[in-house]
Amino acid sequence: MKHLVILGAGTAGTMVANRVSRSVPHDWSVSVVDPSPRHLYQPGLVALPFDGRGAEALERPRAATLSSRVHWIQEEVHAVDPTTRRITVGAGSPLRYDLLVLASGAVAGVDELARSLDGHWGQAVHEPYSLPGALSLRNALERFQEGRLVVSLPATPIKGPAAPLELLFLADELFTRRGRRTRVELVLTTPDAAVWPGPQAAHVLDGLLQRRGITVERSFVPAALEPGERTLRAADGRTLSWDLLIVIPPHRGAPFVTRSGLGDALGFVPTAPDTLRARGLDDVFVLGDATDLPVGKFGSVAYFQSRIVSESLLHTIQGRASETFDGHMSCFVESGRGRALLLDGGYGTETAPGPFPLPWLGPLRLLEENRLSHWTHQALEPLYWWALLPGHTLPIPRRTPRRQAPT
Ligand SMILES: Cc1cc2nc3c(=O)[nH]c(=O)nc-3n(C[C@H](O)[C@H](O)[C@H](O)COP(=O)(O)OP(=O)(O)OC[C@H]3O[C@@H](n4cnc5c(N)ncnc54)[C@H](O)[C@@H]3O)c2cc1C
């Protein structure tokens, strides 16, 4: 028997496991290793502070998300040794693999931040990247009547890069509805010069932020947080005061990646941008948030990559050439008031306005804020559970549409 082992059963690992398990030859087993008993729909964390849903709406038992053909090993991975092809897990004996998939995601450093802020955590300083964090933020927003609300981005890549913008748009809607908007100042701090990597999308998003009265502090690399004084200092010396602070914690790869010598300085795995193999390791594929690739850490990227990796795994087993990834990502940005806009791009191409996914017909339109994009975005949550995780193929192009503007 040969063994395909997938480390991490989040968005990416689950899609690959379910997809591949339908087609692997009978002499191959498919296993996933993940210690966590529940699967969280992470994009749902953004709306949680603003809607009345219970936390349980965003979770499913992990076993229910995995095909019966997939063997789930509920253990934490401690290390991988690519020379002997062995994985150390929990207290059990090491696992052996013939092909390995790294899908262990990115870790938002919530615990480190909470420890460093001690008693202030969950009072005036919040994070929206965990279930308890999003729920505690909901309470804080209920109490918040006036003052400056700051959303602060770290200097590392983050998952769901649209989430901080969406939080601000939804906060604008919330305080407008409550009649408190003129008393609440909304500010975004970003370590980058632009609010989005591509110039066309950045231009559209800048316009939206401006129209909603949301200020942006650019090139603001957070250096020190003084919760007692309610200030945030940037590396260049700028100081910003706040009344309610929403911190997006710095992100890293899973600790076992670093422990195994497989990661870069942040613990993300150096990955070949086209084949999605770990650099220098032909029998190891990487996808989702775990890679070091210059694409946003989006579930949509994980979806497009899962199609490539699944086919490449089967091709590798059959001795055929790998499929290639072109950096395709699609992302809705919820802009509040029942509207959203859609971005879509890939390596070297960025979103340009126009119909999507069908040329001429759409029915969606890129870079245009409208209700259809909002409703399509809302439909993604049931699609996630019923189509994406089970490994079905959506009727959207796997490759980045070619008519988009080069960056
Ligand atoms: C607030 C927020 C909003 C977002 N919004 C969007 C959005 O609007 N659109 C979009 O496309 N994407 C969005 N995302 C991003 C999306 O959720 C991620 O890109 C996607 O989940 C990545 O999938 P993944 O499998 O790589 O990582 P994950 O889904 O995080 O899965 C990683 C898995 O690895 C497991 N793991 C970690 N360490 C170990 C170990 N040592 N041993 C075994 N298993 C381990 C974890 O338990 C986890 O199950 C958002 C994310 C957040 C947090």
Side-chain angles (χ1 to χ4, degrees):
M1 196 73 173
K2 298 212 170 192
H3 304 286
L4 164 60
V5 182
I6 299 164
L7 305 186
T11 311
T14 301
M15 289 189 291
V16 171
N18 289 338
R19 223 170 230 281
V20 169
S21 67
R22 287 200 287 267
S23 318
V24 278
H26 294 303
D27 57 342
W28 278 79
S29 70
V30 178
S31 306
V32 288
V33 188
D34 199 309
S36 158
R38 299 185 72 76
H39 187 121
L40 171 67
Y41 177 65
Q42 298 178 67
L45 292 172
V46 177
L48 203 61
F50 303 93
D51 62 27
R53 295 212 296 173
E56 63 287 348
L58 299 187
E59 288 191 305
R60 298 272 190 286
R62 187 165 315 280
T65 64
L66 292 166
S67 153
S68 57
R69 292 177 288 259
V70 176
H71 178 217
W72 172 29
I73 300 165
Q74 194 178 355
E75 295 275 10
E76 183 176 349
V77 174
H78 286 307
V80 174
D81 181 351
T83 50
T84 58
R85 291 183 172 172
R86 276 177 195 264
I87 304 157
T88 318
V89 292
S93 44
L95 304 171
R96 198 173 63 73
Y97 67 84
D98 295 283
L99 284 172
L100 183 69
V101 177
L102 296 175
S104 43
V107 184
V110 174
D111 295 343
E112 292 90 318
L113 204 57
R115 271 196 298 276
S116 71
L117 292 175
D118 201 16
H120 299 278
W121 188 243
Q123 299 302 312
V125 186
H126 293 264
E127 62 79 25
Y129 269 54
S130 68
L131 266 180
L135 290 172
S136 150
L137 176 59
R138 178 190 284 174
N139 293 334
L141 289 170
E142 265 164 27
R143 293 190 302 267
F144 195 65
Q145 294 296 319
E146 58 187 359
R148 182 183 285 164
L149 184 160
V150 174
V151 174
S152 175
L153 292 178
T156 65
I158 59 166
K159 39 188 173 182
L165 295 171
E166 296 179 307
L167 283 166
L168 283 160
F169 289 133
L170 293 175
D172 166 64
E173 180 186 351
L174 175 79
F175 293 117
T176 303
R177 204 171 51 234
R178 278 202 212 146
R180 309 294 300 179
R181 184 63 181 91
T182 51
R183 293 172 171 269
V184 175
E185 190 186 347
L186 297 174
V187 181
L188 173 74
T189 78
T190 169
D192 302 315
V195 294
W196 202 263
Q200 297 213 50
H203 177 72
V204 171
L205 289 167
D206 268 335
L208 264 180
L209 288 162
Q210 215 174 356
R211 283 201 293 285
R212 301 282 156 81
I214 299 167
T215 317
V216 183
E217 286 286 336
R218 294 161 202 275
S219 309
F220 191 105
V221 179
L225 174 54
E226 296 294 347
E229 294 165 22
R230 300 205 165 180
T231 57
L232 183 63
R233 192 158 45 76
D236 62 7
R238 267 179 291 167
T239 300
L240 186 66
S241 63
W242 45 266
D243 298 291
L244 181 63
L245 179 63
I246 303 176
V247 183
I248 313 299
H251 284 45
R252 303 253 182 284
F256 82 83
V257 170
T258 303
R259 218 177 288 130
S260 310
L262 295 173
D264 63 12
L266 290 176
F268 297 119
V269 185
T271 306
D274 49 356
T275 63
L276 300 177
R277 289 176 197 253
R279 285 191 190 276
L281 297 172
D282 270 359
D283 47 6
V284 181
F285 288 86
V286 198
L287 80 163
D289 295 350
T291 76
D292 72 337
L293 294 176
V295 286
K297 296 196 182 301
F298 288 109
S300 65
V301 170
Y303 164 71
F304 293 120
Q305 291 176 334
S306 74
R307 292 174 60 180
I308 306 288
V309 167
S310 302
E311 284 179 33
S312 292
L313 285 164
L314 295 171
H315 286 187
T316 305
I317 289 170
Q318 295 156 357
R320 292 160 56 197
S322 285
E323 289 294 309
T324 54
F325 178 58
D326 72 347
H328 196 183
M329 77 92 199
S330 275
C331 156
F332 286 98
V333 182
E334 199 61 36
S335 53
R337 303 160 199 236
R339 291 182 165 77
L341 70 160
L342 175 60
L343 313 179
D344 186 271
Y347 297 140
T349 55
E350 78 139 327
T351 313
F356 181 89
L358 300 173
W360 308 108
L361 293 175
L364 295 165
R365 296 196 67 82
L366 296 171
L367 281 186
E368 193 181 287
E369 192 200 19
N370 58 43
R371 289 190 190 280
L372 181 60
S373 290
H374 166 74
W375 287 115
T376 313
H377 192 195
Q378 301 306 302
L380 283 184
E381 187 176 335
L383 268 180
Y384 181 81
W385 298 113
W386 300 113
L388 291 171
L389 286 187
H392 299 309
T393 300
L394 296 186
I396 44 175
R398 187 176 81 177
R399 301 208 156 264
T400 315
R402 256 178 290 159
R403 54 168 183 67
Q404 290 171 0
T407 46

